[in-house]
Amino acid sequence: MLVLQAIRENKEQLITALKKRNLDAEPLLNQVSELDEKRRAIQTQMDSTLAQLNSLSKEIGNLFKSGKAQEAKVLKEQTIQIKEDSKKLSEELNEVVSALDQALFLIPNIPHELVPAGSSEDDNEEIMREGEIPELFEGALPHWELAKKYDIIDFELGVKITGAGFPVYKGKGARLQRALISYFLDKNTEAGYQEMQVPHLVNAASGFGTGQLPDKEGQMYHVTADDLYLIPTAEVPVTNILRDTILSYKELPVRYTGYTPCFRREAGSYGAHVRGLNRLHQFDKVEIVRVEEPSNSYKALDEMVKHVQKILRELELPYRILRLCGGDLGFTSALTYDFEVFSTAQDKWLEISSVSNFENYQSNRLKLRFKDKNGKTQLAHTLNGSSLALPRVLAGILENCQTKNGIKVPKVLVPYTGFEIID
RNA sequence: GGAGGAAUGGCAGAGUGGUCGAAUGCGGCAGUCUUGAAAACUGUUGAGGGUCACACCUCCGGGGGUUCGAAUCCCUCUUCCUCCGCCA
């Protein structure tokens, strides 16, 4: 969530910046300012009430010690009213604080100046494109047909076991999937990201820390018996490793990578565009997370983008990079680059990575801070990105690498798969 | 699942009703010494709110209670440890 200090100091600029999200934030920010002032007023009152009580208690103690029980009794009576007052004030304070929090939760992150204006994905800005889109032969198939033809992914079997959106990967399909995971993790480790294996269920505090809660509760599977959530992305457990932490500037930057399955309810659209691997309830993803000093976070974002590019280049997949417009930008992000791979047989682009800088929006919730060189404690910046989301990479490989004789595995993956062709 | 024990600052560990935001040790930081480093010595060292700055307020796992006053007493939840049972 936004830092109160920033709202106090730059309200007008924030309102202007948030217009890029097509949001009129003025009423909300005004509400926050009001509640903030109210909170401070009540707090001040309560503090002085408690100060009175503290000094009275001290006096009473001294009187008892010097044997003046009678005088102490008089003072004791005075405390009754004070205690009543402070109780009332503390109730008021709680109300105001929770109203303030509620209001703050409704305000998304401030878009970075590079974020283009726009209302939907059509307004995203394509900043580069690389890789050859292959000419497919007559009779080339979309990936779900290929999956069936070579018996490497079974969607119906997943339906039997669980339901739609939970495919079963078989044989060389499973092996290719595992190869991709290993390959991604190796690339990330090489680039200095520490590999982490994290829980796939998280508590509410973690969901709250990275911003999935309270606003996006419906997107997660909720295990009510234990009040835990299946993770929608490794971002949640991996970033929460550092919740409530004060790092030294020497420990920055922190770079983590982790592979996890991801679970998304994705209630909403159905139809042709969710066919096959395009959209699933459970999928695998390798994630990279960074924690940075504020002054370095945009350089870090660029590094992450370059890193993902490098992987895609090695996989020889045609891709493009989009800078998300204000209307498509995630709630917690300040600047996001999406990577899309071209799905030749479907003749469309599929999102395979999203790399974002959250600045201090997450860290403010997470209480993820660091002590700078001057010994001052301040909020760190958090970033994350997919490197990469598996199903659509797999779809891209199947469709773009299909030949009449089978699917040619990208060269870099052969050491991981142990085979060169799926036939 | 059954029986006991515990939860205090970065870590270890004292503190059992007022003088405790908290001894002591380690670690961290700064300095003295040294060509430099180590050792030794000296100082400093939790977080949040609030203030121009002080004052002041809150926090000893979470929540509630007793009391003029709670790290300390009571209730409750959570977590961890030991033993037993079950089990990958």
Side-chain angles (χ1 to χ4, degrees), chain A residues 101-160:
Chain A
D101 284 344
Q102 291 302 316
L104 280 172
F105 294 157
L106 296 174
I107 306 170
N109 202 355
I110 307 300
H112 185 269
E113 57 180 5
L114 283 175
V115 172
S119 55
S120 75
E121 57 184 285
D122 300 329
D123 301 315
N124 293 336
E125 190 185 324
E126 181 174 322
I127 60 168
M128 68 112 39
R129 207 180 259 224
E130 195 180 9
E132 198 116 332
I133 293 173
E135 287 288 322
L136 292 185
F137 54 92
E138 192 67 29
L141 299 168
H143 69 265
W144 54 86
E145 303 282 357
L146 293 165
K148 194 167 210 154
K149 179 174 173 189
Y150 296 111
D151 196 25
I152 50 176
I153 306 170
D154 194 327
F155 294 95
E156 283 74 28
L157 201 48
V159 171
K160 175 174 120 180

Side-chain angles (χ1 to χ4, degrees), chain A residues 81-361:
Chain A
Q81 184 62 44
I82 296 177
K83 283 210 277 183
E84 253 172 55
D85 291 349
S86 80
K87 196 172 175 190
K88 210 181 283 170
L89 285 168
S90 117
E91 275 163 19
E92 275 178 57
L93 187 66
N94 283 341
E95 267 173 47
V96 172
V97 166
S98 83
L100 182 57
D101 284 344
Q102 291 302 316
L104 280 172
F105 294 157
L106 296 174
I107 306 170
N109 202 355
I110 307 300
H112 185 269
E113 57 180 5
L114 283 175
V115 172
S119 55
S120 75
E121 57 184 285
D122 300 329
D123 301 315
N124 293 336
E125 190 185 324
E126 181 174 322
I127 60 168
M128 68 112 39
R129 207 180 259 224
E130 195 180 9
E132 198 116 332
I133 293 173
E135 287 288 322
L136 292 185
F137 54 92
E138 192 67 29
L141 299 168
H143 69 265
W144 54 86
E145 303 282 357
L146 293 165
K148 194 167 210 154
K149 179 174 173 189
Y150 296 111
D151 196 25
I152 50 176
I153 306 170
D154 194 327
F155 294 95
E156 283 74 28
L157 201 48
V159 171
K160 175 174 120 180
I161 300 169
T162 306
F166 294 88
V168 175
Y169 301 86
K170 300 159 81 172
K172 283 185 171 177
R175 180 69 187 237
L176 181 56
Q177 180 98 328
R178 182 155 60 87
L180 282 165
I181 293 164
S182 296
Y183 166 66
F184 294 151
L185 284 172
D186 285 353
K187 295 305 289 182
N188 296 347
T189 308
E190 248 171 57
Y193 294 86
Q194 188 186 7
E195 184 174 345
M196 293 289 195
Q197 279 197 23
V198 290
H200 300 165
L201 285 153
V202 294
N203 56 31
S206 293
F208 176 82
T210 32
Q212 279 71 25
L213 295 175
D215 28 293
K216 282 174 251 157
E217 173 148 25
Q219 288 187 12
M220 289 192 287
Y221 287 96
H222 187 195
V223 181
T224 51
D226 298 287
D227 197 21
L228 296 172
Y229 296 86
L230 278 152
I231 56 170
T233 159
E235 165 193 349
V236 182
V238 173
T239 312
N240 271 281
I241 290 171
L242 292 169
R243 170 154 49 90
D244 287 316
T245 303
I246 302 178
L247 297 160
S248 157
Y249 68 91
K250 291 176 190 162
E251 295 173 86
L252 296 178
V254 174
R255 298 187 194 88
Y256 291 145
T257 183
Y259 151 72
T260 68
C262 303
F263 302 89
R264 299 196 181 171
R265 297 183 64 227
E266 308 269 15
S269 52
Y270 289 92
H273 62 291
V274 302
R275 274 196 87 170
L277 295 169
N278 291 354
R279 201 170 209 180
L280 301 167
H281 286 306
Q282 177 180 332
F283 63 97
D284 292 303
K285 184 156 64 72
V286 175
E287 190 81 357
I288 48 179
V289 169
R290 290 177 73 140
V291 179
E292 295 279 346
E293 293 200 31
S295 59
N296 197 51
S297 69
Y298 279 95
K299 192 174 155 234
L301 183 67
D302 289 342
E303 282 172 22
M304 291 166 82
V305 167
K306 289 208 175 73
H307 177 68
V308 175
Q309 273 182 282
K310 193 175 156 196
I311 294 175
L312 283 167
R313 210 173 281 147
E314 284 190 11
L315 284 173
E316 300 174 82
L317 290 172
Y319 71 94
R320 65 174 184 178
I321 305 177
L322 306 173
R323 189 183 282 134
L324 295 194
C325 73
D328 206 24
L329 189 65
F331 194 80
T332 54
S333 175
L335 180 61
T336 295
Y337 292 100
D338 269 11
F339 284 71
E340 295 184 333
V341 68
F342 194 71
S343 154
T344 312
Q346 295 181 81
D347 192 28
K348 65 193 261 192
W349 294 94
L350 299 174
E351 183 194 328
I352 47 163
S353 177
S354 192
V355 184
S356 304
N357 188 353
F358 305 99
E359 298 193 3
N360 63 17
Y361 194 91

